Amino acid sequence: MKIGVVGGGQLGRMLGLAGIPLGFQFRFFEPSSDCPAAALGEIIRAPYDDPDGLERFARDLSCATYEFENVPAETAHWLDERLSLAPSPKALAVAQDRIVEKAAFRDLGIPVQATASITSAADIVTAVRAVALPAVLKTRRLGYDGKGQRVLRASSAVACNADAVALVQSAWDELGRVPCILESFVTFTAEVSQIAVRSRRRAHAADIAFYPLTQNEHRSGILFKSSSPAPCDPTGELAAQAQAYVARLMESLDYVGVIAVEFFVTTGGLIANEMAPRVHNSGHWTIDGSVTSQFENHLRAVAGLSLGSTASRGASVMINLVGRAPIVARLLEVPHAHVHLYGKGARAGRKLGHVTLIAPMAQDLVDPAAQIELLAAWNLPSH
Ligand code: AMP
């Protein structure tokens, strides 16, 4: 079976690496000339909304998926009418707009922080009334890795409501006066993500499978480290709550494929931050750390096959390699290290690869993780 993947980045590459042993072939739809997935299958090189490119991409495919959530809506609908596209355009539409996403969470009883929409300067006063500072202003669309957002602190300079309005106004100007969401700043004790997969075989008992909850640490808005099982959830209570929320979301969207939902852990429980309708960076540890990786299970779901076990092989820690090319030989000197490089050129803030450490017990990973953290030279963007 040939599977079409919109996008040829590192997630496409890892889908290819997981699918080739199962006999899948791949066709990637990707506008850039040199992409990480190039070694794994045929590349249709065209802009994502190019009709001729889409025709060439869709020809003789029975199913397709995507590896990033900014696929143009028209492209998703065009594909969905001709072949089996998973996750669906509906799931994509929810994930593409932070206001729609938060409304979907709220409608399902999944807790979210206070939010307000800003589409014109006239909305700012009402938004500030609904969402007090500290807050985060984010573009509704196209933000990733902390891009397109500004943290607005309630410092001593913000003495009154008028000051807060002025602060939001200048942040909105900086973000280009595009439609934005103003969110309360959440004081969290940890960040976690729940990765789950739902297959097409709805009559089947193992319809939805969950990976263990993963705890995530970001630096400058970019994922730095993921640990599983999540150290902040020794009793499994948070995982049970997260899984109940994600199951609700997947059922409501009639979802097929892997989904990742990121949550803030607060003293009052979980608060949903965002969903990704695709394989996710916080699930990269599953390649080495799970019986079946998120990439393989996504393909199995999209192709209508049985899901594989999501059980862990032990404790895992994943550390991203960002910005500067790592010295691979040094990384490999660290016990338990599995190195994954994406074949990308070095650039500030760019994810170039990751290292996963696995061992039977979490405490065995403390020292190797510290060594990898030192070796993972960080070169973060300024924003
Ligand atoms: P996002 O692009 O929404 O995933 O945001 C990237 C990171 O910024 C998150 O993982 C958090 O560390 C931080 N962040 C985003 N939104 C908020 C918020 N409302 N309150 C506190 N921190 C946030």
Side-chain angles (χ1 to χ4, degrees):
M1 180 191 277
K2 189 175 277 186
I3 298 186
V5 182
V6 182
Q10 65 261 23
L11 301 179
R13 178 185 176 104
M14 288 183 271
L15 284 168
L17 287 167
I20 285 171
L22 301 183
F24 292 126
Q25 294 177 307
F26 290 90
R27 180 182 293 153
F28 299 95
F29 189 27
E30 162 66 47
S32 69
S33 55
D34 178 25
C35 68
L40 280 305
E42 186 189 348
I43 305 284
I44 303 295
R45 201 153 287 149
Y48 291 123
D49 54 359
D50 179 62
D52 175 58
L54 270 171
E55 290 281 359
R56 285 187 288 134
F57 173 68
R59 188 176 310 146
D60 71 29
L61 290 181
S62 59
C63 65
T65 186
Y66 44 88
E67 56 120 50
F68 70 115
E69 58 268 45
N70 293 322
V71 176
E74 305 75 40
T75 296
H77 286 292
W78 190 93
L79 288 171
D80 190 49
E81 280 163 14
R82 283 159 184 83
L83 45 76
S84 160
L85 180 73
S88 68
K90 188 178 166 194
L92 196 60
V94 171
Q96 281 181 344
D97 185 332
R98 291 183 189 273
I99 290 278
V100 176
E101 183 178 52
K102 286 285 197 298
F105 291 157
R106 226 176 253 129
D107 288 350
L108 291 166
I110 302 171
V112 294
Q113 69 276 57
T115 63
S117 168
I118 298 178
T119 52
S120 74
D123 296 331
I124 295 178
V125 171
T126 327
V128 170
R129 216 170 283 144
V131 180
L133 298 196
V136 186
L137 184 71
K138 301 178 180 177
T139 57
R140 279 174 70 163
R141 292 175 169 274
L142 301 174
Y144 69 98
D145 284 347
K147 292 191 175 70
Q149 48 184 277
R150 295 284 181 278
V151 177
L152 306 169
R153 304 203 181 276
S155 65
S156 52
V158 186
C160 65
N161 220 30
D163 291 340
V165 169
L167 200 63
V168 175
Q169 175 74 58
S170 78
W172 190 58
D173 292 346
E174 272 175 44
L175 292 177
R177 298 178 158 233
V178 294
C180 281
I181 183 171
L182 186 67
E183 306 179 351
S184 296
F185 187 89
V186 178
T187 308
F188 54 81
T189 52
E191 290 187 86
V192 294
S193 55
Q194 179 61 58
I195 295 179
V197 57
R198 187 165 180 272
S199 75
R200 287 189 194 283
R201 293 152 60 98
R202 254 150 253 150
H204 199 265
D207 196 17
I208 296 185
F210 297 98
Y211 286 94
L213 194 70
T214 300
Q215 187 165 333
N216 302 316
E217 188 187 319
H218 293 81
R219 294 197 185 166
S220 296
I222 300 179
L223 182 66
F224 172 60
K225 181 167 144 185
S226 291
S227 306
S228 179
C232 65
D233 187 29
T235 62
E237 219 173 297
L238 293 175
Q241 188 61 77
Q243 291 175 12
Y245 292 148
V246 176
R248 229 180 271 168
L249 184 62
M250 290 178 111
E251 295 293 349
S252 81
L253 294 169
D254 196 13
Y255 196 89
V256 172
V258 162
I259 193 170
V261 183
E262 295 182 62
F263 296 93
F264 299 118
V265 180
T266 72
T267 47
L270 294 176
I271 290 183
N273 179 29
E274 61 180 359
M275 64 171 270
R278 55 169 170 80
V279 286
H280 193 255
N281 194 171
S282 67
H284 288 2
W285 64 267
T286 64
I287 298 174
D288 305 295
S290 301
V291 173
T292 315
S293 75
Q294 63 163 348
F295 298 97
E296 181 175 333
N297 259 338
H298 183 70
L299 296 170
R300 288 181 181 218
V302 166
L305 303 170
S306 308
L307 299 178
S309 165
T310 50
S312 296
R313 297 182 195 275
S316 298
V317 172
M318 186 238 38
I319 294 166
N320 270 337
L321 303 170
V322 178
R324 217 171 303 155
I327 302 166
V328 175
R330 299 283 307 281
L331 296 172
L332 293 175
E333 285 167 7
V334 177
H336 315 289
H338 297 265
V339 176
H340 300 258
L341 300 179
Y342 308 148
K344 290 159 77 173
R347 195 201 300 153
R350 201 175 203 202
K351 291 175 181 169
L352 304 178
H354 69 268
V355 180
T356 303
L357 302 161
I358 57 167
M361 306 298 286
Q363 65 260 31
D364 300 332
L365 298 178
V366 176
D367 289 342
Q371 290 177 56
I372 295 290
E373 285 180 33
L374 282 177
L375 291 168
W378 270 65
N379 195 356
L380 295 169
S382 50
H383 58 77

